[in-house]
């Protein structure tokens, strides 16, 4: 394993500072929920968000791992609860240019922050990245919001109106009422027989959620007034005219990988897809007879079966812009933050590290993805310096022929 590495998420390498915020549009289960990473202005005081956004995610991870929540959730909270994401929470958006957009789809049992290292790097290189938190019951847990309950006068049962001071009066405005979270747990399957039908249905919902996130960001870019259901200080209307809707890609890991493949086949606004160690099982056979837009498969060495590789090759036969590479020495979790945040003991238990240094593995994933995105989004950047990676040429990479 490369040199010793301290645990934590690395700072991004690109020329932009990175900010992030959470966006929830339409507080119901059918609404859109994503974490937004974006280039931001340098500011004096920077608040870093916690990597685990809420203790409930520790309970959800325990559930997904089939461990007893009573002891496993506190242990997970001890292991991960103090990590921060090295970005500026609600930092002022840098409205200097039009930025290409990436919609990111997480894997099975994950949630919106699990790919922060990849998303931060992309944002630092001049992308806006929306990491969707899916509500198809594939996240370890997620939530939507119930309407706020109005305060009742205990004596009369009548509602009380809070007198709001005028803006600009020097008196702080009262916070909006806290809305109750309705948690949506991970769905465990009862039998193997329902596996394909259910996973395919989930994948189709995930594609709709990716397109819905793109709809929201399109509205923001076009200046439509958007009401964010989550508390925050970033007014997303400052992004008006700053999202390059002609340069949009979809990206995802594992279950998010096949989601990105189906999304690029169904929604023509996505010009290309990056599939990180894609799970191919939920896709139906008809996808392999289609001429898809460009797709880039970045595989780990351990996860893929020969059947999955054959399916990827079938897609290649319809489009020579579809590329497949393997990162030598990597495992399925090498493209997640877990590879950076777990010590040796947890890594042995859950196989979060391969033989490649975790930072080096993620650098390859990021550089190869940037080279591919430059090529197929027609970007005027210097990411073509990593073009050789697209052919599987370089240290720790191999082509899949």
């Amino acid at each position: 394993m490369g040199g010793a590495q301290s645990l934590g998420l690395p700072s991004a390498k690109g020329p932009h500072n990175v900010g992030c915020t959470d966006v929830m549009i339409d507080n119901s289960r059918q609404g859109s929920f994503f974490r937004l990473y974006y280039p931001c202005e340098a500011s004096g005081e920077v608040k870093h968000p916690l990597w685990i956004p809420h203790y409930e995610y520790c309970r959800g991870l325990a559930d997904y791992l089939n461990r007893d929540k009573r002891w496993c959730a506190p242990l997970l909270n001890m292991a991960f609860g103090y990590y921060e994401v090295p970005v500026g929470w609600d930092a002022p958006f840098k409205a200097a240019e039009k930025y290409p957009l990436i919609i990111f789809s997480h894997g099975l049992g994950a949630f919106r922050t699990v790919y922060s290292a990849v998303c931060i790097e992309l944002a630092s290189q001049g992308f806006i990245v929306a990491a969707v938190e899916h509500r198809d019951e594939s996240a370890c847990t997620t939530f939507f919001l119930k309407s706020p309950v109005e305060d009742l006068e205990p004596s009369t049962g009548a509602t009380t109106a809070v007198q709001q001071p005028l803006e600009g009066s020097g008196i702080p405005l009262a916070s909006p009422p806290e809305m109750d979270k309705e948690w949506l747990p991970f769905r465990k399957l009862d039998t193997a027989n329902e596996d394909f039908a259910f996973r395919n249905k989930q994948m189709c919902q995930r594609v709709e959620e990716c397109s819905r996130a793109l709809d929201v960001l399109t509205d923001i870019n076009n200046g439509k007034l958007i009401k964010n259901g989550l508390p925050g200080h970033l007014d997303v209307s400052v992004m008006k005219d700053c999202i390059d809707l002609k340069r949009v890609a979809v990206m995802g890991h594992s279950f998010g990988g096949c989601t990105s493949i189906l999304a690029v086949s169904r929604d023509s606004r996505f010009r290309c897809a990056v599939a990180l160690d894609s799970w191919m099982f939920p896709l139906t056979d008809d996808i392999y007879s289609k001429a898809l837009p460009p797709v880039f498969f970045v595989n780990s060495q351990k996860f893929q079966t020969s059947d999955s590789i054959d399916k990827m090759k079938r897609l290649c036969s319809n489009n020579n812009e579809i590329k497949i590479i393997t990162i030598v020495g990597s495992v399925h979790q090498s493209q997640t933050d877990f590879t950076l945040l777990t010590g040796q003991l947890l890594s042995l238990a859950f196989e979060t590290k391969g033989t490649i240094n975790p930072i080096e593995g993620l650098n390859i994933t990021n550089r190869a993805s940037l080279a591919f995105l430059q090529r197929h989004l027609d970007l005027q950047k210097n990411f073509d310096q990593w073009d050789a990676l697209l052919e599987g040429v370089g240290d720790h990479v191999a082509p899949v022929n």
Side-chain angles (χ1 to χ4, degrees):
M1 166 114 45
Q5 174 217 345
S6 60
L7 300 180
L9 297 179
S11 297
K13 297 177 178 59
H16 297 278
N17 293 308
V18 180
C20 83
T21 195
D22 283 336
V23 177
M24 188 180 289
I25 308 300
D26 175 0
N27 297 339
S28 73
R29 183 174 173 176
Q30 286 70 44
S32 188
F33 182 24
F34 51 86
R35 173 154 288 190
L36 200 60
Y37 303 83
Y38 54 87
C40 74
E41 300 285 0
S43 55
E45 196 173 321
V46 176
K47 182 185 175 189
H48 293 162
L50 287 171
W51 185 69
I52 298 273
H54 196 282
Y55 181 76
E56 198 65 32
Y57 289 94
C58 293
R59 294 168 60 82
L61 283 170
D63 214 26
Y64 171 69
L65 295 167
N66 281 316
R67 304 296 200 276
D68 189 324
K69 284 186 279 201
R70 287 171 299 182
W71 63 264
C72 188
L75 279 180
L76 289 167
N77 190 50
M78 280 174 59
F80 300 114
Y82 60 92
Y83 285 120
E84 294 181 342
V85 184
V87 292
W89 181 251
D90 281 344
F93 176 71
K94 188 178 182 181
E97 57 186 278
K98 270 188 176 289
Y99 302 105
L101 174 64
I102 298 168
I103 306 293
F104 195 100
S105 173
H106 65 69
L108 195 66
F111 47 97
R112 68 190 182 282
T113 72
V114 167
Y115 303 88
S116 292
V118 169
C119 294
I120 292 166
E121 183 57 31
L122 293 169
S124 81
Q125 298 288 354
F127 291 83
I128 291 174
V129 185
V132 176
E133 190 159 288
H134 290 295
R135 288 161 164 176
D136 60 329
E137 300 173 284
S138 69
C140 73
T141 191
T142 186
F143 67 92
F144 51 97
L145 297 176
K146 300 185 222 175
S147 295
V149 180
E150 291 184 287
D151 288 324
L152 297 177
E153 281 280 351
S155 55
T156 63
T159 59
T160 57
V162 179
Q163 185 65 45
Q164 290 278 21
L166 294 172
E167 246 182 296
S169 64
I171 304 168
L173 294 168
S175 303
E178 180 70 24
M179 297 177 88
D180 284 343
K181 294 179 176 70
E182 181 86 28
W183 288 94
L184 187 64
F186 177 75
R187 163 88 176 267
K188 294 180 182 176
L189 301 191
D190 299 326
T191 66
N193 295 336
E194 69 170 335
D195 205 24
F196 174 78
F198 185 67
R199 295 303 186 207
N200 179 262
K201 183 182 173 189
Q202 282 183 309
M203 180 179 59
C204 292
Q205 179 178 331
R206 289 163 139 261
V207 168
E208 288 171 10
E209 289 172 343
C210 289
S211 291
R212 204 174 302 143
L214 179 49
D215 293 341
V216 170
L217 288 156
T218 300
D219 285 344
I220 289 170
N221 186 67
N222 293 341
K224 185 175 175 184
L225 192 62
I226 293 295
K227 181 172 167 50
N228 186 358
L230 297 173
H233 299 289
L234 181 77
D235 178 2
V236 292
S237 68
V238 298
M239 296 185 180
K240 180 176 185 269
D241 294 330
C242 289
I243 305 172
D244 191 341
L245 296 171
K246 291 186 171 67
R247 292 181 167 90
V248 183
V250 60
M251 185 172 184
H253 174 254
S254 194
F255 205 173
C258 62
T259 301
S260 67
I261 295 163
L262 187 61
V264 84
S265 77
R266 287 191 172 179
D267 190 333
S268 60
R269 295 176 297 175
F270 294 121
R271 286 179 55 178
C272 60
V274 178
L276 304 179
D277 221 11
S278 182
W279 190 30
M280 302 300 284
F281 170 74
L283 291 161
T284 51
D285 278 345
D286 63 312
I287 195 92
Y288 301 105
S289 58
K290 293 179 180 176
L292 295 184
V295 178
F296 184 32
F297 292 98
V298 186
N299 294 338
S300 74
Q301 194 170 2
K302 284 209 163 184
F303 179 69
Q304 299 298 337
T305 62
S306 56
D307 180 56
S308 291
I309 296 291
D310 286 345
K311 288 176 175 177
M312 293 174 191
K313 288 179 178 176
R314 282 169 67 190
L315 288 175
C316 288
S317 65
N318 297 324
N319 183 345
N320 62 8
E321 294 293 354
I322 292 177
K323 304 285 185 186
I324 316 169
I325 67 167
T326 298
I327 300 181
V328 178
S330 63
V331 295
H332 194 50
Q333 295 298 328
S334 293
Q335 290 160 329
T336 75
D337 294 345
F338 286 110
T339 196
L340 302 165
L341 303 181
T342 49
Q344 292 303 325
L345 197 61
L346 277 174
S347 175
L348 286 171
F350 300 113
E351 201 177 21
T352 59
K353 298 180 197 288
T355 55
I356 190 171
N357 178 290
I359 294 280
E360 200 166 351
L362 273 166
N363 283 346
I364 293 169
T365 294
N366 290 331
R367 288 168 181 170
S369 300
L370 287 166
F372 179 81
L373 291 166
Q374 168 154 327
R375 181 177 293 185
H376 297 293
L377 297 181
D378 302 321
L379 304 176
Q380 303 302 310
K381 301 281 190 178
N382 65 345
F383 307 148
D384 53 352
Q385 64 182 298
W386 300 307
D387 272 356
L389 293 172
L390 303 181
E391 310 303 329
V393 176
D395 292 342
H396 305 292
V397 291
V400 175
N401 298 318

